[in-house]
Amino acid sequence: MHSWYLLLALLVDARALRFLAVGDWGCDCPNQYHVAKWMGTVGAQLNIDFVTGVGDHFYDTRYGGCPNNAQSVRFEQTFDKVYTAPSLQTRWYNILGNHDWGRNHSAYFGRTALSPRWYQPDYYFTETIESKQGAGSVQLIWIDTHAIVLVSTGSHSHE
């Protein structure tokens, strides 16, 4: 079994960039709504610049599994109608997780053109983000490390 680690070190002024990170969030369950509520509260207190979704956006639920296309009801039911706090109406930079590999990846990428919040243009991408606090900008990189694992091991499993 291979172990993969990604180390990201940021040397920035703590006032420069404020964001929330969430993973394993697409369960359509009471816990997801509870976390969303607190994300909204904390996001307002911090005046966040953005949110990042670090993978596993959708699990098999009453609404189905991973979205089949960019217009899938899953985006509305599991994202738009859950993360409704004013502070969360900002850009969400998302990257695939291993459980997001279940269906059509282009649905995630295509949603970027349809949603003012959802941003996931590819398997990896970089963005330079300006701080709302006027403390400068930071360039961040999102990498789908599971894609690297699949290529390097020749595996097609999402586990």
Side-chain angles (χ1 to χ4, degrees):
M1 171 156 198
H2 298 320
S3 295
W4 296 90
Y5 300 94
L6 175 64
L7 176 61
L8 178 63
L10 295 174
L11 300 174
V12 297
D13 183 335
R15 297 167 296 171
L17 198 62
R18 296 175 181 170
F19 65 96
L20 299 177
V22 62
D24 297 292
W25 51 264
C27 65
D28 295 318
C29 62
N31 289 342
Q32 183 180 1
Y33 286 89
H34 183 72
V35 169
K37 176 186 173 220
W38 282 104
M39 286 177 65
T41 299
V42 172
Q45 290 172 352
L46 296 177
N47 189 26
I48 61 171
D49 295 295
F50 65 94
V51 176
T52 188
V54 295
D56 295 351
H57 312 310
F58 300 98
Y59 288 99
D60 288 331
T61 71
R62 60 190 164 146
Y63 300 118
C66 296
N68 290 321
N69 60 63
Q71 295 85 18
S72 172
V73 70
R74 284 306 305 271
F75 289 105
E76 183 181 337
Q77 297 295 337
T78 310
F79 178 67
D80 296 331
K81 289 184 176 181
V82 177
Y83 301 97
T84 58
S87 66
L88 303 179
Q89 304 309 301
T90 186
R91 171 81 39 106
W92 284 55
Y93 296 95
N94 296 305
I95 198 73
L96 292 173
N98 64 319
H99 289 104
D100 297 316
W101 276 77
R103 297 229 174 96
N104 182 2
H105 308 145
S106 66
Y108 297 91
F109 309 146
R111 188 66 178 186
T112 297
L114 302 177
S115 171
R117 291 195 297 160
W118 185 277
Y119 188 76
Q120 185 172 356
D122 211 332
Y123 296 100
Y124 55 90
F125 58 96
T126 184
E127 292 290 323
T128 300
I129 301 172
E130 296 288 331
S131 166
K132 286 182 184 177
Q133 287 67 246
S137 63
V138 176
Q139 183 175 17
L140 297 174
I141 303 168
W142 284 263
I143 302 171
D144 177 3
T145 57
H146 192 66
I148 297 168
V149 170
L150 294 178
V151 169
S152 68
T153 64
S155 171
H156 298 288
S157 172
H158 70 276
E159 297 298 329

